[in-house]
């Protein structure tokens, strides 16, 4: 037997977080969970019947090139059976530059769709009624602008804003810690986020105002334990900022959501999701929440992009299947499955369809969705859930001692912890202590016959022409007044959301609005 398959060193097995695994578990190894699903602290799930009532939302993350091209993919995915869209934006959109900006060259439309104005947003959702679809937008530093485009479009469609559903990621703290698409320093960024909380509480009541993300923390190299510890610490910081603003935790708390990764260490991933729910319920109760729905951790999951291999890419279908089952058995509310070719390029239509079919097969054929939390009571799973929770609390205590997530990020603690874990994981792969099938074991001579998805370099010219036409057709005076008002509100503390919505309705661009705030807030270096 090749013990390398089981992450063993000297015949001692551990999870990927370094938690020791015993050869066998008995009733002496755990304290049984006594609550039912839907009951505090929600270890077993946030609904009594979980997927018996309704399956998780099956999303596919998509966005590339122009709004026209992405719209075609959305209609394709909707026709294939997705019931929620998830929008990927290109890097210039994520960091507040219009497509015609010098720093946008070479990046327009590459890793997501380019959205410069309300016209692009209208094209992106052409023939899609926003009242009828739940939309998740993976956007952070410019999240308030993209939400404003979406709201302005909903109003143009005549939609009832009280019926609009979806999620905006809006999690800036993890950008400083793990991903890097920030614009403004932490404190003004936190102010923008609480402005969104406040405005949506009154105007967009069904919208999830933040998706506190462990996904990118994990993609940067963290362990499962670090993923939930750092994510929940960030969540705590957002709640505390909203409380300081005078917001009601029982109102905004219901609209908080989370975004986690699913990797290949199957039982640790299931335990991670169960532990995270239990921990968040405790955190929210301690911060003053009394409404049960404000204490429930609801989360979206994406399968692990960093686990996909360019070598033998069809093996990724098996990896995604394992990760899908871990997310479902862990109680996710929403799921995106990665395409098997994503280590090589953006997913082709075939890869996206196969990824969606993986969710559908698990949902409709496997039987694992028929009962809530089917792994509850497992000696191993219950023990591992407690082990993950304990180690995550230890990390959160260190962050609390530093004064919370913002201070821990400013001091570099979270970044250093992630970097250390990433280094150790890669070292284990290179020494062979960690087996990656097709990479450091079971290799074959192969010729890659997959046709990758390519983005035309002319996209920037197309977007620039659109911008020129938009600016020529708008009132320059009104647009200038809108931008001046945004800068003034940034200084005097007024809620920015109504002013940004008014600006996009008057055809101000994403880059212009970002610059109006750069003048006041500066940029984080």
């Amino acid at each position: 037997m090749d013990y390398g398959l089981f992450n063993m060193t000297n015949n001692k097995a551990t999870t990927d977080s370094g938690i020791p695994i015993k050869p066998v578990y008995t009733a002496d190894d755990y304290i049984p969970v006594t609550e039912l699903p839907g009951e505090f602290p929600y270890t077993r799930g946030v609904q009594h019947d979980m997927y018996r009532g309704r399956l998780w939302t099956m999303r596919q993350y998509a966005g590339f090139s122009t709004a026209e091209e992405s719209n075609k993919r959305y209609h394709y995915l909707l026709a294939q059976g997705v019931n929620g869209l998830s929008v990927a934006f290109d890097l210039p959109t994520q960091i507040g530059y219009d497509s015609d900006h010098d720093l946008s060259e070479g990046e327009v439309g590459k890793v997501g769709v380019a959205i410069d104005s309300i016209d692009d947003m209208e094209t992106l959702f052409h023939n899609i009624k926003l009242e009828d679809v739940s939309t998740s937008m993976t956007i952070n530093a410019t999240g308030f602008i993209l939400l404003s485009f979406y709201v302005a479009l909903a109003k143009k469609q005549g939609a009832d804003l009280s019926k609009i559903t979806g999620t905006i990621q809006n999690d800036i703290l993890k950008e400083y810690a793990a991903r890097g698409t920030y614009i403004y320093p932490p404190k003004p960024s936190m102010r923008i986020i609480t402005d969104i909380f406040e405005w949506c509480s009154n105007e967009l009541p069904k919208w999830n105002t933040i998706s506190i993300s462990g996904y990118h923390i994990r993609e940067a190299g963290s362990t499962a334990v670090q993923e939930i510890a750092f994510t929940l610490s960030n969540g705590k910081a957002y709640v505390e900022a909203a409380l300081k603003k005078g917001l009601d935790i029982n109102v905004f708390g219901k609209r908080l959501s989370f975004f986690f990764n699913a990797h290949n260490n199957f039982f640790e991933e299931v335990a991670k999701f169960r532990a995270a729910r239990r921990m968040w319920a405790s955190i929210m109760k301690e911060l003053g929440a009394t409404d049960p729905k404000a204490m429930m951790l609801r989360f979206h999951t994406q399968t692990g992009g960093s686990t996909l291999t360019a070598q033998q890419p069809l093996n990724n279908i098996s990896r995604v299947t394992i990760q899908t089952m871990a997310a479902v058995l862990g109680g996710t509310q929403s799921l995106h499955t990665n395409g098997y070719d994503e280590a090589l390029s953006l997913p082709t239509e075939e890869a996206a369809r196969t990824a969606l079919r993986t969710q559908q097969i698990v949902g409709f054929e496997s039987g694992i969705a028929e009962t809530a939390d089917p792994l509850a009571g497992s000696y191993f799973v219950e023990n591992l859930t407690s082990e993950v929770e304990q180690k995550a609390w230890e990390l959160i205590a260190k962050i609390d001692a530093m004064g919370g997530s913002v201070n821990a990020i400013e001091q570099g603690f979270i970044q250093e912890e992630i970097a250390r874990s990433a280094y150790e994981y890669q070292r284990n792969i290179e020494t062979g202590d960690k087996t990656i099938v097709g990479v450091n074991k079971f290799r074959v001579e192969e010729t890659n016959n997959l046709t990758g998805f390519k983005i035309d370099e002319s996209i920037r010219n197309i977007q620039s022409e659109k911008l020129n036409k938009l600016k020529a057709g708008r009132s320059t005076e009104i647009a200038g007044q809108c931008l001046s008002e945004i800068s003034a509100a940034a200084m005097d503390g007024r809620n920015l959301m109504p002013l940004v919505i008014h600006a996009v309705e008057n055809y101000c661009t994403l880059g212009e609005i970002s610059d109006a705030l750069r003048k006041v807030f500066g940029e984080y270096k």
Side-chain angles (χ1 to χ4, degrees):
M1 179 178 289
D2 184 353
Y3 286 113
L5 289 171
F6 300 99
N7 191 25
M8 288 187 174
T9 303
N10 297 325
N11 206 22
K12 292 181 180 178
T14 67
T15 69
D16 285 344
S17 294
I19 297 171
I21 300 174
K22 296 171 63 173
V24 66
Y25 287 78
T26 70
D28 294 331
D29 291 306
Y30 82 116
I31 300 173
V33 171
T34 57
E35 87 267 6
L36 293 172
E39 294 180 356
F40 182 89
Y42 313 109
T43 310
R44 302 194 60 197
V46 294
Q47 287 109 13
H48 289 288
D49 58 356
M50 285 305 290
Y51 307 125
R52 285 286 283 271
R54 183 173 74 90
L55 288 179
W56 61 92
T57 302
M58 296 184 186
R59 299 187 186 276
Q60 284 305 112
Y61 185 46
F64 53 85
S65 184
T66 61
E68 291 87 348
E69 290 302 313
S70 291
N71 176 260
K72 292 176 186 176
R73 177 65 66 90
Y74 294 157
H75 281 286
Y76 171 80
L77 291 170
L78 289 167
Q80 297 301 312
V82 302
N83 47 18
L85 297 175
S86 188
V87 185
F89 299 97
D90 71 358
L91 282 174
T93 302
Q94 293 180 49
I95 54 177
Y97 294 117
D98 288 334
S99 297
D100 59 358
H101 194 284
D102 289 346
L103 293 177
S104 298
E105 187 171 357
E107 293 294 344
V108 177
K110 287 292 180 67
V111 297
V113 62
I115 300 293
D116 294 318
S117 71
I118 188 174
D119 282 355
D120 286 331
M121 186 65 85
E122 189 166 10
T123 302
L124 186 67
F125 289 99
H126 181 63
N127 285 335
I128 298 172
K129 288 185 65 177
L130 300 190
E131 271 193 31
D132 296 341
V133 65
S134 170
T135 302
S136 173
M137 294 190 282
T138 304
I139 194 76
N140 297 283
T142 55
F144 66 106
I145 304 174
L146 272 299
L147 179 59
S148 296
F149 286 149
Y150 197 83
V151 169
L153 175 58
K155 290 165 69 176
K156 284 186 76 172
Q157 289 186 352
D160 180 350
L161 293 186
S162 69
K163 296 179 180 178
I164 296 296
T165 62
T167 303
I168 194 165
Q169 190 164 99
N170 196 29
D171 175 8
I172 200 64
L173 291 179
K174 69 96 173 46
E175 296 296 331
Y176 303 115
R179 193 162 172 268
T181 61
Y182 44 72
I183 303 174
Y184 315 112
K187 288 183 174 61
S189 294
M190 293 290 281
R191 174 261 176 97
I192 293 171
I193 287 169
T194 56
D195 278 359
I196 295 169
F197 287 179
E198 182 179 50
W199 186 83
C200 288
S201 291
N202 297 318
E203 306 294 337
L204 212 65
K206 290 188 177 180
W207 190 266
N208 296 323
T209 51
I210 193 167
S211 179
I212 305 159
S213 176
Y215 184 86
H216 303 95
I217 290 170
R218 191 68 178 279
E219 290 292 283
S222 81
T223 65
V225 167
Q226 289 171 332
E227 179 187 354
I228 62 168
F230 298 154
T231 305
L232 298 185
S233 283
N234 288 348
K236 188 176 177 181
Y238 293 125
V239 172
E240 289 171 341
L243 291 172
K244 286 180 182 176
K245 198 176 180 75
L247 303 184
D248 185 344
I249 192 170
N250 288 318
V251 176
F252 74 80
K254 296 176 187 177
R255 303 267 47 101
L256 304 178
S257 66
F258 289 79
F259 175 22
F260 289 121
N261 211 313
H263 274 218
N264 291 327
N265 200 298
F266 181 79
F267 289 107
E268 182 173 48
E269 294 300 298
V270 174
K272 176 189 76 179
F273 297 131
R274 298 174 88 245
R277 268 194 302 272
R278 193 155 73 197
M279 294 171 72
W280 185 245
S282 173
I283 288 169
M284 289 297 277
K285 186 175 183 179
E286 185 178 323
L287 290 171
T290 55
D291 189 314
K293 289 187 177 179
M295 293 184 268
M296 292 179 181
L297 184 147
R298 296 164 298 111
F299 66 98
H300 169 73
T301 308
Q302 182 174 338
T303 56
S306 63
T307 70
L308 304 180
T309 64
Q311 300 91 334
Q312 302 176 40
L314 291 179
N315 292 346
N316 294 327
I317 298 173
S318 298
R319 293 184 176 100
V320 169
T321 302
I322 291 168
Q323 295 161 12
T324 298
M325 292 179 68
V328 172
L329 289 167
T332 194
Q333 277 63 68
S334 169
L335 179 61
H336 162 79
T337 35
N338 287 26
Y340 59 79
D341 55 0
E342 287 190 55
L344 299 164
S345 69
L346 292 172
T348 59
E349 283 193 356
E350 179 188 48
R353 183 176 65 247
T354 300
L356 176 61
R357 294 290 181 259
T358 300
Q359 290 200 56
Q360 292 166 335
I361 289 167
V362 170
F364 295 105
E365 296 186 28
S366 72
I368 66 175
E370 298 300 335
T371 188
D373 193 24
L375 293 181
S378 158
Y379 300 146
F380 180 39
V381 170
E382 297 294 2
N383 178 279
L384 192 53
T385 299
S386 296
E387 288 274 3
V388 169
E389 179 183 11
Q390 179 186 340
K391 291 189 178 298
W393 279 128
E394 289 170 3
L395 268 177
I396 289 174
K398 290 182 180 179
I399 294 168
D400 286 345
M402 296 178 189
S405 275
V406 175
N407 287 344
I409 288 167
E410 289 177 340
Q411 294 173 36
F413 170 75
I414 292 176
Q415 298 93 310
E416 289 171 6
E417 287 288 300
I418 294 170
R420 178 181 53 78
S421 294
Y423 172 77
E424 289 179 358
Y425 187 82
Q426 183 61 31
R427 184 181 61 186
N428 287 336
I429 292 173
E430 292 177 3
T431 61
D433 289 338
K434 175 71 177 175
T435 294
I436 306 296
V437 173
V439 175
N440 62 357
K441 284 191 180 177
F442 313 113
R443 291 178 292 211
V444 296
E445 291 295 327
E446 56 185 322
T447 302
N448 180 18
N449 294 318
L450 291 178
T451 302
F453 194 89
K454 302 297 182 185
I455 300 298
D456 195 317
E457 292 291 343
S458 67
I459 299 303
R460 183 167 183 254
N461 293 333
I462 293 170
Q463 285 298 113
S464 297
E465 288 172 11
K466 287 184 190 176
L467 281 164
N468 289 334
K469 184 177 179 181
L470 176 134
K471 290 177 181 178
R474 72 184 182 184
S475 167
T476 302
E477 182 181 356
I478 293 175
Q481 290 172 351
C482 289
L483 295 170
S484 295
E485 193 67 17
I486 288 170
S487 295
M491 288 186 281
D492 65 29
R494 280 175 289 158
N495 192 302
L496 292 167
M497 282 300 297
L499 300 172
V500 176
I501 292 169
H502 182 61
V504 304
E505 289 174 329
N506 284 283
Y507 301 98
C508 293
T509 70
L510 173 134
E512 291 172 331
I513 295 167
S514 298
D515 284 345
L517 293 176
R518 280 186 177 97
K519 293 175 183 176
V520 179
F521 296 149
E523 292 187 81
Y524 182 73
K525 303 293 185 183

